[in-house]
Amino acid sequence: MNVEDLPPLREALEAHGLWAKKSFGQHFLLDLNVTRKIARLAHVGEGDHVIEVGPGPGGLTRALLETGARVTTIEMDERFAPLLQEVADIAPNLTLVFGDALKADEAEIAAGQPAHVVSNLPYNVGTPLLIKWLTGPWTPRSLTLMFQREVADRITEGPGEDAYGRLAVIVQATCKAQRVMDAPARAFTPPPKVDSAVVHLTPLAERPSRERLDALQKITAAAFGQRRKMLRSSLKLMGGEELILAAGIDPQVRAEVVPVDGFLALADAWMARR
Ligand code: SAM
């Protein structure tokens, strides 16, 4: 497929009378240099299947198709159907799906084959989608995702850093996580109020079991629910000092300094007591 055969994204939007809707979290990337960079950072190409959530006008979709990958898009806003169909008409590697990505069955879309997720995520559903991909029944081969910068920090920061919390623990217990690109608000049309960043996540070969992840979610909810308190106080109802010592952790420390392995040990100790 040749992107040069398509009208520039701004023209395509105008021709279809389309504009960004706030309720769908729409902030578009209309600069192909930016979308090509994201496609490069995703490390996808010929032979790969990419699931892209929220193609909107299709800037990132075009860049992904240029890599030679097969792309399936999931878009909730059906206003984009005619515009995206124009791309699909010249790109046999593109499949369009319309609906809510939170409810999508990725295993069915991927048809039993491995698939990568790449998306400039809608800010209002970005975190629930990430949790779905990391803890749900279907696991992507990799995820390359644009988030608000503050959310990217909450994903990638480590113990002792300001944004380290529940999300970082769940993500880093299941994935290798790297922040790979910063995107200022002015890169988007219309510009959002805050800057963004791209994170690249590679699910670990040895991922915690469903049961262990459930326990981890409960432990981190209690521990970070009162992040300024010592663990022996925030985890009182889950087993207090006895549980914390069984996990080999000092009960006087606060959640914000406990590494991911420490939380996994707490989850194991909690499961062993039940
Ligand atoms: N990928 C485009 C780009 O980079 O220009 C658009 C990105 S925009 C931040 C987010 C897109 O996700 C919008 O097209 C929006 O309609 C779509 N969207 C919002 N919520 C969604 C959901 N629950 N499921 C699927 N798509 C959704």
Side-chain angles (χ1 to χ4, degrees), residues 127-128 130-131 134 147 150-156 163-174 220 224:
T127 311
L130 177 62
I131 296 293
L134 296 186
F147 286 100
E150 170 256 324
V151 180
D153 287 345
R154 290 205 284 122
I155 288 171
T156 54
Y164 181 67
R166 279 192 80 188
L167 189 59
V169 175
I170 302 295
V171 171
Q172 294 168 34
T174 51
T220 52
F224 286 104

Side-chain angles (χ1 to χ4, degrees), residues 225-252:
Q226 298 175 298
R227 65 184 287 139
R228 299 277 160 213
K229 290 202 173 164
M230 290 180 201
L231 281 187
R232 71 168 181 219
S233 156
S234 57
L235 294 183
K236 199 167 197 157
L237 294 177
M238 301 194 74
E241 283 209 21
E242 209 181 301
L243 171 92
I244 302 162
L245 289 171
I249 295 172
D250 174 359
Q252 306 218 44

Side-chain angles (χ1 to χ4, degrees), residues 101-106 127-136 138:
L102 281 169
K103 296 185 188 141
D105 182 346
E106 292 88 348
T127 311
L129 278 170
L130 177 62
I131 296 293
K132 176 190 175 195
W133 293 321
L134 296 186
T135 65
W138 178 78

Side-chain angles (χ1 to χ4, degrees), residues 9 21 23-30 35 38 52-61 74-80 97-104 118-125 129 146 188-189:
L9 287 159
K21 265 195 190 172
S23 58
F24 284 117
Q26 291 175 347
H27 298 279
F28 303 136
L29 290 169
L30 302 181
T35 54
I38 299 171
E52 186 203 354
V53 168
L60 184 53
T61 320
I74 309 173
E75 173 58 63
M76 193 146 133
D77 186 350
E78 298 210 7
R79 294 179 309 148
F80 287 99
V97 175
F98 288 91
D100 182 352
L102 281 169
K103 296 185 188 141
V118 183
S119 175
N120 172 17
L121 284 171
Y123 67 89
N124 41 353
V125 288
L129 278 170
M146 177 83 81
F188 301 84
T189 307

